[in-house]
Amino acid sequence: MRLRQVHLDFHTSEAIEEIGRDFSKRQFQEMLKLGRVDSITVFSKCHHGWAYHPSEANEIHPGLTFDLLGAQIEAAHEIGVNTPVYLSAGLDEKLARRHPEWLIRDRQERTNWAADFMEPGYHQFCMNTPYLDILAAQVREVVERYDADGIFLDIVGVRECYCQHCVAEIRRRGSDPRNPDDMRALWEETYARYAAAMDQAVHSPKPGLPLFHNNGHIRRGRRDLAAFNTHLELESLPTGGWGYDHFPLSARYAQGLGMDVLGMTGKFHQSWGEFGGFKHPNALRYEAALSLANGAGCSVGDQLHPLGMMDPATYALIGEAYAEVEAKEEWCRGAVSVADIALLSAEAADSRFGGEQPDRKAIGLADTGAVRILLEGQYLFDIVDNESDLNGYKVVVLPDCIGITPELRKRLNDFAAEGGRILATGRSGLTPDGEAFGLELGAEWRGASPFNPTYVRPDFELPSLRPSSFLVNAEGYEIGAAPGGAVLGSRQNPYFNRDLFTFTSHRHAPSDLNDAGPGITEGPHGIYAGWNLFADYALQGSLPIKQILHRMLDRLLAASESGRTLSVDLPAQAVATLQEQHAEARRVLHLLYAPPVRRGKDTEIIEDLPPVKPTDVTLAESRPVREVYLAPQRTPLPFMQENGKLRCTVPEWSCHQMVVVEA
């Protein structure tokens, strides 16, 4: 897989004339060279529905008079640049106005993306309609006629739909469209049928051609959906709504699936379709480095001007980042993650307590808060699902809402029997009926607390604060201490909940300072905390909550035979990952630091790259180490190795530094 890709959007209205008028093979090639690009996704069909090449399966854009797609492929291949080809699958505005009966509808018959046809915007197609055959013909035509290096299909996934095709199909099966379970089964079948049709259209003419279906998110726990792809492209524009927490959350899961992965960001200040918007070069340098640090290649989104010329400012910007990626590729290809901690994703677990429907917001907060806690503590972690092999991890984290099914209970019991430890918070650790613990965590379940907020008073001192009663805004739970369990912290309640006749001060009542029972316990399997602490951190960012969670993680890691693999002295916003290249017998430590700041109303950007002071590193390493050096500089680094620990100090650095350990 190429590691320096550009995703060249080209969504161009029929209201614009002279499409591609200024396209020049020479200028196109010069910009790719300026950007140090080795792969570029070019367009067959856009969201407006037009083809950018002569077509029998579609219609060429009315403002285009030549084969733009063919010219781009020829120009790129001439200089050794790959050309995956894009087709908008879920959107086709030209066809939407001709066949609105083929569009996705909600229960009130409303369309999605644009709510109607009286506002500007696109409308999404249902694949349980004749549209699927039209799309398959368009895809096959591109594969057969062009030397494409892959196919990228956009705006697809399992979709809720109540169009009349879906309603008629569910009734033909003897069911009722008001039956949510049967409708969900139909939607799953519709997407599987779409994927099979695309597989046939692509791989029947050209077996093995890369194929990716983009849904904007790789759903954790749905390996069946991931398997429809030959590789994964993780759309994650930090300023476009995904934020800087999303990519690590997605990448730490995707790398474990054993597929090639690209991290997709954009050159834009905010998001797709932003002509004239640019992020700071330092932001793109950091985002590209973050992809490498998570075992992924890089893809940067751009949008071609309707006249077909490539923008020099854009490719100079991309080139700054990709020059660094090019220099680092040797230490990034074929890398696998080294991790101490397995974070079982709440999204992947999809737990249902007592038959209730999962709370998607709570699930998202649990995962987001857990990743932020692990990143800020510079822990080595992977994100796993119910099928992941837990062998080799030292700690499994169950954030806030992971039910313990019989299958998961067996896996975790086996994990604990081999010396592994578990950290559970909130309702995690409970059996699916939500009435008792399925793990030995030193706690007995009592139920949800009637108070909110509540307070935690740990029996240990935090690094930055003296002992106190610390506020927890998230939902809390009442527990007792199980026989043989240890209490690591207590719960305290407020005087009362804030209400019409019982309120005090500006926000909530203080703790009544009475011990209301255990709040944090430890048992043979690990530690339990009786609050949704990870959701709390995602929403509030509380210092005491972070330091309590870090203290519990450190305690569990210290109980393992080899302890924590990596200890590193870094700022909280810094990121550390450890990748291993088995064939080269080397490990590569990635250190990154680029603190985002808020600009405008709600946009996080990276602009400055403050230097990081010399960084002390301690790495568990039992193999005799031959050399340690900085990459890509190849500067030798003095080190000491004794008692299974390697120690070195990384000189002052900024943005991204790789430390290579070769045995």
Side-chain angles (χ1 to χ4, degrees), residues 243-303:
Y244 275 97
D245 286 331
H246 178 266
F247 179 74
L249 175 57
S250 191
R252 295 297 344 114
Y253 176 67
Q255 190 183 19
L257 297 179
M259 305 171 72
D260 284 340
V261 178
L262 282 173
M264 180 188 289
T265 183
K267 69 95 179 180
F268 317 105
H269 171 60
Q270 290 189 320
S271 196
W272 299 106
E274 182 186 68
F275 291 103
F278 295 86
K279 64 178 45 166
H280 196 283
N282 285 341
L284 201 55
R285 289 175 58 206
Y286 174 78
E287 290 159 20
L290 190 63
S291 284
L292 297 180
N294 284 281
C298 309
S299 179
V300 177
D302 179 28
Q303 180 144 335

Side-chain angles (χ1 to χ4, degrees), residues 1 3 234 244 247-256 261-264 284-299 321-322 324-326 328-339 375 378-383 566 570 573-581 587-594 631 653-659:
M1 185 180 67
L3 301 189
L234 310 182
Y244 275 97
F247 179 74
L249 175 57
S250 191
R252 295 297 344 114
Y253 176 67
Q255 190 183 19
V261 178
L262 282 173
M264 180 188 289
L284 201 55
R285 289 175 58 206
Y286 174 78
E287 290 159 20
L290 190 63
S291 284
L292 297 180
N294 284 281
C298 309
S299 179
Y322 276 1
E324 297 184 16
V325 173
E326 187 175 22
K328 297 168 182 175
E329 288 183 1
E330 176 183 343
W331 296 275
C332 300
R333 291 192 177 278
V336 297
S337 169
V338 178
L375 287 172
Q378 284 89 47
Y379 295 99
L380 301 179
F381 70 98
D382 292 332
I383 297 176
L566 174 69
L570 287 173
Q573 285 292 107
V575 173
T577 70
L578 186 62
Q579 301 285 329
E580 186 159 8
Q581 294 174 301
R587 287 180 167 181
V588 182
L589 172 64
H590 294 262
L591 306 175
L592 302 100
Y593 183 57
W653 57 278
S654 69
C655 188
H656 179 217
Q657 180 60 67
M658 297 189 296
V659 181

Side-chain angles (χ1 to χ4, degrees), residues 217-220 241-242 245-250 343-351 357-373 383 399-402 425 428 532-540:
H217 173 66
I218 303 300
R219 185 172 170 185
R220 296 178 292 281
W242 285 262
D245 286 331
H246 178 266
F247 179 74
L249 175 57
S250 191
L343 167 61
L344 179 54
S345 164
E347 180 185 60
D350 199 31
S351 299
Q357 289 300 310
D359 183 338
R360 296 298 170 194
K361 181 179 179 181
I363 284 170
L365 290 173
D367 280 351
T368 298
V371 167
R372 176 47 49 198
I373 285 290
I383 297 176
D400 292 355
C401 48
I402 308 289
T425 59
S428 289
N532 293 336
L533 293 184
F534 291 110
D536 191 278
Y537 195 69
L539 287 171
Q540 309 293 335

Side-chain angles (χ1 to χ4, degrees), residues 351-353 398 400-405 408 424-439 441 443-448 477-479 528:
S351 299
R352 290 166 166 79
F353 294 98
L398 308 178
D400 292 355
C401 48
I402 308 289
I404 307 301
T405 62
L408 181 57
T425 59
R427 289 200 289 178
S428 289
L430 294 179
T431 53
D433 60 13
E435 296 181 358
F437 283 103
L439 299 171
L441 300 169
E444 293 182 344
W445 183 250
R446 298 285 187 266
Y477 304 94
E478 297 184 350
I479 57 172
Y528 170 78

Side-chain angles (χ1 to χ4, degrees), residues 88-101:
S88 181
L91 306 177
D92 184 324
E93 196 60 17
K94 162 175 57 66
L95 204 57
R97 292 184 175 271
R98 299 174 187 174
H99 290 284
E101 72 277 13

Side-chain angles (χ1 to χ4, degrees), residues 89-90 124 127 153-159 191 194 213-216:
Q124 190 172 189
M127 298 296 178
L153 299 172
D154 203 11
I155 320 298
V156 288
V158 179
R159 300 288 193 254
Y191 184 64
Y194 149 83
H213 308 272
N214 186 44
N215 187 31

Side-chain angles (χ1 to χ4, degrees), residues 617-634:
V617 173
T618 301
L619 185 67
E621 182 57 80
S622 58
R623 303 171 301 174
V625 171
R626 180 167 51 87
E627 63 176 329
V628 178
Y629 58 92
L630 304 178
Q633 305 96 315
R634 297 184 183 272

